[in-house]
Amino acid sequence: MQITVVGGGKVGFTLASQLEKEGHDIAIIDNRLKIIEKCADQLDVLCIHGNGANVNTLKEGNIEEADMMIAVTGSDEVNLICCMLAKKLGVKNTIARVRNPEYVNSIELLKDELHLSMSINPERGAAREIVRSLHFSQGVHVSTFAKGRVEIAEIIVGENSLLCDEKVRSIGSRHHGTVLICAVNRGKEVIIPDGEFVIQKGDRISVIGTTQHIESFLITTGVSEYRNFNEIMIVGGGRIAYYLTSMMLGMNIRVKIIEKDPEKCRQLALQFPEANVILGDGTDQEFLLSENLTTMDAFVALTDNDEENVIISMFAASQGVERVMPKINRMSLEFLLEKFDMCNSVSPKYITANRIVRYVRAMQNAVGSNIESLITLNENTVEALEFRVRKNCKFIGIPLKDLTFKPGILIGYISHHGHPEIANGNSSVQLDDTIVVVSSIPKLRDLNDVLA
């Protein structure tokens, strides 16, 4: 596919990089020369220096031949104008990043009026991810999948875990087949396990199931506790803090926000009179202690500096705060979090890029068994894909035990009329079912490609 990306910042660069690896022809437009030079040096894409809201610039980037235009500049208004112009120039699919909280209630109207294929709000998505992750203990990362019906939890098996030295088959039977261990990362090796595979200490495993069954699995195996909390401290008063505060207050959780910018403090205090908004430096350890850091149930670091977020999160964890989450955009810093047993972090640019890549993958498979959605697991080495079963599927009505699949393929869930169930040997797919496939084969394109 030919895709034009307007905006080469953190999100745009990450997005262009991922789409380039997917084999798409990418043109990237930005009015900042340094950004364009960086893209030209590090990516194999067409780089255009100019204003993406200018028709001539768009034409220079071959917009009239593009299958899709994605606008992710720092301005919501520019993004919407870019999409509007692209539509006028014949681009069928347009995606705009819209982040301003003032547009939240009108985004659906704008989407319909401008015929947007999708609108993306990275900060709102990040806030939702934080809310979900904070309900689980450290070391558990949960992703929503299959339109919210299914979740995938990634956990690290500790030395004293009840999962140690257990066969995948026995773990599944103990939980009545309601969850499935679908991928294991052991050292540098990624394994799609069968029933005889034995889990070992240090394995990073991915478990798929419904929300209720995943929660039950995490609790009964001692991996995690699903607990509500009463008070949270947020350092940094940007857009993510806005959305997160709104969500937390709606759950009757007390919120304390620390922000060093007086104007941001004033705005937050006006918008959230129920929250405790404090003007101060959240990177000052003594200041955090004076604001009762040690009594907090959760701590989230949302400053614009990744290193500061990591450091103050490590400090919060050292003071006994159980649930700690920093915002980081540089994945190279994750080794520090793992070293200090803090496996939960949030990255708005990756949340946005992954969601758009899912959409592009689904669009690319518009004929046949569509990819409805996609999630990457185990540091992008494994994919979980949701397919829609179409008429051209070669194994409709055939029990899975009678089929031969390629190595590295696992059928996880089959959803019939919206009711998802773990797949077993006697399961079979029907027309219009959705099926979740876990694959270590890169760029799986069609449901029939799972067959040997």
Side-chain angles (χ1 to χ4, degrees), residues 335-359:
F335 81 95
L336 274 177
L337 301 178
E338 292 184 4
K339 186 175 181 180
F340 289 91
D341 295 325
M342 294 192 306
C343 298
N344 283 351
S345 63
V346 64
S347 174
K349 72 176 185 180
Y350 281 104
I351 290 172
T352 302
N354 286 337
R355 187 177 169 196
I356 293 175
V357 169
R358 286 188 220 173
Y359 179 82

Side-chain angles (χ1 to χ4, degrees), residues 215-229:
E215 289 176 10
S216 174
F217 171 81
L218 294 174
I219 292 169
T220 56
T221 57
V223 172
S224 179
E225 297 179 31
Y226 188 88
R227 297 185 305 178
N228 290 321
F229 46 95

Side-chain angles (χ1 to χ4, degrees), residues 93 131 252 388 452:
N93 296 280
V131 171
N252 295 319
R388 174 73 62 178

Side-chain angles (χ1 to χ4, degrees), residues 159-219:
E159 186 172 2
N160 300 318
S161 171
L162 297 174
L163 301 173
C164 272
D165 302 322
E166 289 283 343
K167 289 184 178 180
V168 168
R169 187 186 307 280
S170 64
I171 295 170
S173 62
R174 193 182 308 152
H175 293 272
H176 310 290
T178 56
V179 296
L180 181 68
I181 297 175
C182 56
V184 179
N185 189 330
R186 180 174 292 172
K188 294 183 179 180
E189 187 179 10
V190 179
I191 303 153
I192 305 294
D194 59 18
E196 299 303 313
F197 185 86
V198 178
I199 301 297
Q200 296 180 4
K201 178 188 73 174
D203 285 350
R204 182 191 290 269
I205 68 173
S206 299
V207 185
I208 186 171
T210 64
T211 302
Q212 181 181 356
H213 291 147
I214 287 291
E215 289 176 10
S216 174
F217 171 81
L218 294 174
I219 292 169

